[in-house]
Amino acid sequence: MRKDVENLFKLAATPLPPDDLADRILGRIHAERRRISLLRRIAFFSVGAIASASALVPALLALRTAAAESGFVEYFSLLFSDGGAVAAAW
């Protein structure tokens, strides 16, 4: 009986992998590397965008304070309220 089973397994053809198996495996590895790279870039740029947005508020407040202290606001409003005077003084 044992000899029959051994002969059966010897005669049974081992299944061969598909011809394109290596290409499919390498394609999946490439796609996974691209996906990981994309996720890293998204995370990096998201952190940068959050940092930039959070720094924008203090920068605008400092700009407003500096413009008010230097008198720029008055000169800028004069440009719109009396453009003729600005053109004559130019």
Side-chain angles (χ1 to χ4, degrees):
M1 174 82 175
R2 180 177 169 100
K3 206 166 212 178
D4 292 335
V5 172
E6 286 178 8
N7 283 338
L8 179 66
F9 282 116
K10 283 182 185 176
L11 294 176
T14 57
L16 296 176
D19 292 337
D20 65 337
L21 180 63
D23 292 334
R24 290 190 343 219
I25 290 172
L26 291 175
R28 283 294 301 250
I29 290 172
H30 180 68
E32 186 67 18
R33 284 183 179 167
R34 283 186 18 201
R35 187 183 72 82
I36 289 172
S37 174
L38 178 66
L39 290 176
R40 284 182 184 162
R41 279 188 263 153
I42 287 173
F44 178 74
F45 287 118
S46 297
V47 169
I50 291 170
S52 295
S54 64
L56 181 65
V57 173
L60 290 177
L61 292 176
L63 176 68
R64 186 179 77 180
T65 303
E69 288 176 357
S70 69
F72 175 75
V73 175
E74 287 80 14
Y75 290 118
F76 192 68
S77 67
L78 181 64
L79 179 67
F80 294 106
S81 63
D82 193 8
V86 173
W90 192 277

